[in-house]
Amino acid sequence: MENYFADERGFYGEFGGAYVPEILYKCVHDLQDAYLPIIESPEFKQEYHALLKDYVGRPSPLYFAERMSEKYGCQLYLKREDLNHTGAHKINNTIGQILLAKRMGKTRIIAETGAGQHGVATATVCALMNMKCEVFMGATDVERQHTNVERMKMLGAEVHPVRTGNMTLSDACSEAIRDWCCHPADTFYIVGSTMGPHPYPDLVARMQSVISEEIKWQLQEKIGRDYPDYLIACIGGGSNAAGTIYHYVNDERVNIVLSEAGGHGWQTDYTAATIHKGTTGILHGAKMLVMQDEDGQIQEAFTISAGLDYPGVGPMHCNMAKKGRTKVLSINDDEAIYAGYELTRMEGIIPAIESAHAIAALSKLTFKKDDVVVLTVSGRGDKDVETYLKNKAMAKEYGNF
Ligand SMILES: Cc1ncc(COP(=O)(O)O)c(C=O)c1O
């Protein structure tokens, strides 16, 4: 059977590994040695799960979406990560990583953020644990995700706008790594997705795996079997997707469909559809599919969605897509805007613009009436209301709202 998880050196097939500057070797090796014994200890598990329950509000509901099921001719269940404290799946991971940081004796936390959801989730757990928090965020994202910037500040975090490159997520990651190089001893870098050097992709996937752990028993309870026919999630760096599929990757009965951000279309220069367009390269400490030119210069990603605006994608997903285990769709901005409105009007749920990419996948698939489809709504759309309103006209072609 294929192994879709990390090997001991952090490789997923040809992707992954830990490509870090000399100055970070010790930090990264310490983390590699420490993470599994800590997160698998009964004491860690007890604290992590207690916080997920009483602080985050887990389990998140698995909601049968009746009107959308009717429209798409399937049995559609929404995994409601949007209902978590702070409004997205990101907090599952930040709770876990801050508990790890504490046990490793670190006193200062840094993070990168795109949509601001990971920044807010990090600032939140830092407030909770009384830790110093600094967040790097591209200046473009500081503008388009303004509410989240204010939330981070209110929570006591320092937000550093990054003005290099196209001033988005990728530049924020580079800046966070630079900061880490300057403060390797006291600082813990809470990475927000299944990317970065080993062990981050594996660590983040494990922290998010609670999503599919819950889907299993929730489906069993609701339909009398613990697996769906389809799992659907959006994919930026890949963390909500990894969590959604974690306990199903080796179950061939389950079709996995992931939506990446096509922007204006993956064949154009304005896209973030890395799995469609990328070639193998090294970015932010790992080998992955990267959008780059012939000289290996990273090409800027483009999408309406700040959380998917990244020119790379986590190594686990590169490998699974390459081996044909996942079907990856490219969803354009206008399709995502339409899908966001559709869920809002048909189910009364305003999804994050990232999650709207997953919803748009429904119209590209053909289901049988009895097919059970579980789609993860990774976050709520409060942060995106302005974007939806401003770009409503874009979705006209698909119907009117
Ligand atoms: C709500 C939401 N969904 C999805 C993503 C994409 O990240 P990932 O692919 O790691 O789940 C983000 C990133 O900021 C997000 O905020």
Side-chain angles (χ1 to χ4, degrees):
M1 195 193 280
E2 275 291 346
N3 174 25
Y4 294 114
F5 295 104
D7 67 19
E8 64 288 351
R9 287 165 50 242
F11 277 91
Y12 300 79
E14 68 185 273
F15 302 103
Y19 298 83
V20 292
E22 191 86 28
I23 182 95
L24 288 182
Y25 262 46
K26 181 168 167 9
C27 272
V28 168
H29 278 282
D30 286 351
L31 186 58
Q32 287 172 356
D33 292 342
Y35 85 110
L36 284 178
I38 292 178
I39 69 175
E40 283 174 355
S41 71
E43 187 234 345
F44 176 96
K45 282 188 182 166
Q46 196 274 333
E47 195 176 356
Y48 174 63
H49 286 290
L51 283 169
L52 287 185
K53 178 166 178 281
D54 295 330
Y55 188 70
V56 175
R58 301 202 73 90
S60 67
L62 185 68
Y63 165 71
F64 178 62
E66 196 176 336
R67 292 184 64 201
M68 292 281 277
S69 294
E70 183 78 20
K71 168 154 187 191
Y72 288 106
C74 64
Q75 307 297 308
L76 176 65
Y77 290 85
L78 302 176
K79 182 61 174 159
R80 301 289 309 276
E81 294 300 300
D82 57 311
L83 293 178
N84 292 341
H85 178 43
T86 71
H89 65 297
K90 297 286 181 186
I91 193 138
N92 305 327
N93 170 48
T94 58
I95 294 258
Q97 285 198 50
I98 201 145
L99 293 178
L100 179 57
K102 260 181 42 175
R103 283 164 173 74
M104 291 181 71
K106 304 289 181 177
T107 53
R108 175 177 176 263
I109 299 294
I110 58 167
E112 85 297 335
T113 196
Q117 288 301 135
H118 174 59
V120 168
T122 304
T124 298
V125 296
C126 286
L128 180 69
M129 300 289 169
N130 193 21
M131 297 264 253
K132 186 170 162 44
C133 178
E134 295 183 38
V135 179
F136 297 89
M137 186 172 191
T140 307
D141 294 336
V142 168
E143 237 168 77
R144 63 179 164 173
Q145 300 289 337
H146 193 66
T147 354
N148 276 343
V149 177
E150 299 306 325
R151 289 167 81 197
M152 285 184 261
K153 287 185 181 162
M154 190 167 169
L155 287 157
E158 210 175 313
V159 180
H160 300 289
V162 176
R163 298 187 201 284
T164 50
N166 65 337
M167 304 188 279
T168 57
L169 179 57
S170 177
D171 313 295
C173 292
S174 304
E175 205 51 43
I177 292 174
R178 241 170 257 139
D179 178 286
W180 198 21
C181 290
C182 299
H183 309 93
D186 67 339
T187 296
F188 190 98
Y189 179 10
I190 297 192
V191 172
S193 193
T194 43
M195 49 188 238
H198 174 59
Y200 281 110
D202 186 45
L203 171 61
V204 177
R206 285 171 190 262
M207 293 297 119
Q208 293 292 357
S209 68
V210 64
I211 300 174
S212 48
E213 197 179 300
E214 289 173 3
I215 293 173
K216 279 202 139 176
W217 64 256
Q218 288 173 319
L219 276 181
Q220 185 67 45
E221 231 173 63
K222 284 180 195 293
I223 63 166
R225 68 174 218 220
D226 71 354
Y227 68 95
D229 298 294
Y230 287 85
L231 283 171
I232 303 178
C234 69
I235 178 165
S239 71
N240 88 89
T244 302
I245 68 178
Y246 197 88
H247 291 287
Y248 293 109
V249 291
N250 290 319
D251 186 342
E252 296 290 340
R253 296 169 299 185
V254 181
N255 297 289
I256 301 173
V257 181
L258 305 178
S259 295
E260 58 178 4
H264 288 182
W266 74 266
Q267 300 94 334
T268 72
D269 287 339
Y270 299 94
T271 185
T274 320
I275 293 177
H276 280 75
K277 203 164 181 180
T279 51
T280 305
I282 291 169
L283 182 62
H284 299 137
K287 194 182 275 188
M288 57 170 94
L289 292 171
V290 181
M291 297 201 303
Q292 55 189 332
D293 65 19
E294 290 115 48
D295 301 323
Q297 293 298 318
I298 304 301
Q299 287 174 328
E300 291 177 356
F302 181 95
T303 152
I304 199 163
S305 152
L308 305 180
D309 203 347
Y310 186 63
V313 57
M316 175 185 181
H317 296 293
C318 297
N319 182 47
M320 289 181 80
K322 185 163 181 191
K323 303 255 165 74
R325 176 66 185 97
T326 51
K327 179 183 172 78
V328 182
L329 304 175
S330 170
I331 302 295
N332 296 347
D333 289 350
D334 54 352
E335 296 170 315
I337 292 282
Y338 180 82
Y341 269 97
E342 186 175 72
L343 189 71
T344 302
R345 295 293 171 91
M346 291 187 70
E347 299 289 347
I349 298 169
I350 304 177
I353 190 82
E354 290 79 16
S355 321
H357 286 71
I359 294 147
L362 293 169
S363 64
K364 306 209 169 214
L365 299 167
T366 313
F367 301 111
K368 295 194 291 291
K369 189 90 192 80
D370 293 337
D371 279 344
V372 173
V373 179
V374 173
L375 184 154
T376 295
V377 180
S378 54
R380 69 179 81 129
D382 308 26
K383 67 183 179 58
D384 298 314
V385 169
E386 258 174 64
T387 308
Y388 279 124
L389 292 172
K390 220 165 55 193
N391 294 287
K392 192 172 170 187
M394 202 190 254
K396 254 197 341 264
E397 184 186 328
Y398 305 99
N400 268 323
F401 286 107

